[in-house]
Amino acid sequence: MPADASTGAALEGRVLAALASVIDPEIRKPITELDMVGGVVARADGGVDVGIKLTIVGCPAADRIERDVLAAAEAVVGPGFASVDVTIMTREERTALTEKLRGGKAKRGIPFTAESLTRVYLVTSGKGGVGKSTLTANLAVALAESGLRVGIVDADVHGFSIPGILGLVETDAATGAQRATRPTQVGEMILPPVAHGVKVISIGMFVEPGADGAGVAVAWRGPMLHRTIQQFLTDVYFGDLDVLLLDLPPGTGDVAISIGQLLPHAEVIVVTTPQPAAADVAERSALVARQTGQHVYGVIENMSGLPQPDGSVLELFGSGGGAEVARRLSSTGAEVPLLAQIPLSIALRSGGDTGEPVVLAHPEEPASLAIRAVADSLATRSRSLAGRQLPFSPR
Ligand SMILES: Nc1ncnc2c1ncn2[C@@H]1O[C@H](COP(=O)(O)OP(=O)(O)OP(=O)(O)O)[C@@H](O)[C@H]1O
């Protein structure tokens, strides 16, 4: 039923209040806080005309925002009594929005400083293929499911697999090839795509797909890598995060050193396999992090024994590698625990192939339970202020 036209201003106020429930899916804030509501005008017939200003032309969230705005307005004035007019923000309005999102600061900096409340974890490994990206993605999804605000920076420059593992894949209109979802850019601010509640940015989102659909290999030089990682940490709008996970390339290369300089307070999680022979290289990746002052939070052993139907366990990659890396790191610095042993799991592997993380698709799997136990231990840690300089001084 239409509202009474004589209460125009009150009606406009009620519709505006209802629009506060419409969340921009990329920025994850109410559109009313983002100055995206151009106007709400009550009509003589008891209906309402709503003007919406999107951040950019071709905004991927446009349809959803328009639909949600219409639904919110109709919930107040009745079906068929609301119209939505969509326009695009001016350059000045976009600049004002990006400044507002940066907390009023025109100048960009890395928000994940030692004083911020975001816990930053670097997921590293000695060698490739040990499941570092798969675990990073599943840990992030498990943390988001437990109610935390979570972001991932996929800094694995040569093996950017996080978008695929999380299903952030789209078809390139020009070539028909599959490619990682492109982030929306608002002025100089990049809005990370969201998958399963996790904000994700990946180098794979910025490379062109090859003929086979895979990202074209990029020959990165050290300074360019450093700038790219720095840009991910400054220009990508993550908002307030509880946890930021960075998926590092395997080994001890330029990216690890750059991140050591940019995020010296980050903590390191080392992923290794049960193979004792791999312990050397895994240990080295953590030692580089220690040299830049980072704390090693713990070791995860992945691809541990595969449970068999008869109850026995097949130790395909041997055993003891995770405990060995934890023991060696503990003997040369602060105590480093073995956080978990994640079993070999077909469901974990196939979830990575289809973009449906195993912790969501098969929460009862032993691999999911082991990943969730690590996520729980990360989730229950609060960011300690001990030993940190607070941003005010005594008079
Ligand atoms: N516990 C597991 N059981 C079965 N398969 C797994 C397990 N962990 C990872 N895998 C599979 O192993 C392969 C390598 O995993 P992933 O890409 O996560 O490794 P990575 O260490 O990130 O490699 P890189 O750094 O070289 O990109 C993937 O196909 C993944 O699905």
Side-chain angles (χ1 to χ4, degrees):
M1 190 162 59
D4 185 346
S6 67
T7 59
L11 178 67
E12 289 168 6
R14 279 166 53 220
V15 172
L16 195 60
L19 293 179
S21 68
V22 178
I23 308 293
D24 180 298
E26 292 180 302
I27 304 177
R28 304 209 131 192
K29 282 184 184 286
I31 58 167
T32 45
E33 282 180 31
L34 302 174
D35 303 328
M36 287 170 71
V37 180
V40 177
V41 179
R43 297 194 308 237
D45 66 354
V48 73
D49 295 327
V50 181
I52 294 297
K53 292 182 287 183
L54 298 177
T55 48
I56 53 156
V57 180
C59 166
D63 287 351
R64 177 158 157 201
I65 294 175
E66 189 176 347
R67 221 176 28 245
D68 290 355
V69 165
L70 186 65
E74 285 189 340
V76 177
V77 296
F81 281 86
S83 79
V84 180
D85 179 42
V86 178
T87 55
I88 303 298
M89 285 183 176
T90 63
R91 180 192 289 262
E92 290 71 31
E93 286 169 335
R94 262 197 303 275
T95 306
L97 172 60
T98 51
E99 269 183 35
K100 188 173 188 173
L101 291 173
R102 282 190 195 118
K105 294 188 206 102
K107 194 173 167 311
R108 302 195 298 270
I110 295 179
F112 310 109
T113 59
E115 286 76 33
S116 95
L117 294 176
T118 309
R119 278 205 171 272
V120 182
Y121 295 100
L122 312 180
V123 187
T124 66
S125 67
K127 57 180 193 138
V130 300
K132 177 177 48 59
S133 306
T134 307
L135 294 186
T136 304
N138 275 280
L139 274 174
V141 170
L143 285 164
E145 219 199 358
S146 66
L148 298 188
R149 295 161 298 179
V150 187
I152 295 183
V153 171
D154 178 6
D156 193 346
V157 278
H158 305 295
F160 32 79
S161 48
I162 293 280
I165 295 171
L166 289 175
L168 285 171
V169 176
E170 62 190 16
T171 306
D172 188 82
T175 63
Q178 292 284 99
R179 47 154 300 133
T181 306
R182 282 215 189 270
T184 305
Q185 196 142 355
V186 179
E188 289 178 342
M189 185 173 275
I190 299 166
L191 302 182
V194 180
H196 309 291
V198 178
K199 290 182 171 174
V200 183
I201 202 76
S202 168
I203 287 186
M205 295 170 179
F206 298 88
V207 298
E208 293 306 322
D212 61 353
V216 170
V218 187
W220 298 90
R221 285 180 179 279
M224 188 177 163
L225 276 178
H226 187 84
R227 271 200 307 279
T228 304
I229 303 290
Q230 192 167 30
Q231 196 189 5
F232 278 1
L233 296 171
T234 50
D235 292 354
V236 176
Y237 175 73
F238 282 108
D240 293 331
L241 290 182
D242 296 303
V243 180
L244 177 68
L245 297 171
L246 287 94
D247 183 10
L248 265 58
T252 54
D254 289 341
V255 174
I257 294 164
S258 285
I259 290 177
Q261 291 166 359
L262 296 168
L263 298 169
H265 63 287
E267 295 179 279
V268 175
I269 296 175
V270 183
V271 180
T272 190
T273 64
Q275 252 178 313
D280 274 354
V281 281
E283 183 192 3
R284 231 174 291 144
S285 72
L287 292 178
V288 167
R290 267 191 183 156
Q291 279 166 13
T292 56
Q294 292 163 335
H295 169 244
V296 183
Y297 177 64
V299 176
I300 299 179
E301 182 182 282
N302 187 32
M303 306 189 179
S304 304
L306 180 67
Q308 300 295 292
D310 67 359
S312 64
V313 174
L314 176 64
E315 291 181 330
L316 205 62
F317 293 113
S319 65
E324 175 62 12
V325 175
R327 187 193 64 73
R328 289 194 196 181
L329 289 171
S330 300
S331 70
T332 53
E335 180 74 20
V336 176
L338 175 61
L339 299 170
Q341 291 174 289
I342 319 287
L344 278 163
S345 158
I346 292 172
L348 178 66
R349 198 264 309 141
S350 66
D353 294 341
T354 57
E356 275 297 317
V358 71
V359 289
L360 295 181
H362 299 283
E364 73 298 339
E365 267 281 310
S368 300
L369 296 174
I371 292 170
R372 204 167 280 277
V374 178
D376 287 348
S377 84
L378 299 180
T380 48
R381 294 179 83 204
S382 62
R383 191 88 174 83
S384 166
L385 291 173
R388 289 197 285 145
Q389 199 173 0
L390 296 173
F392 50 80
S393 52
R395 284 167 192 257

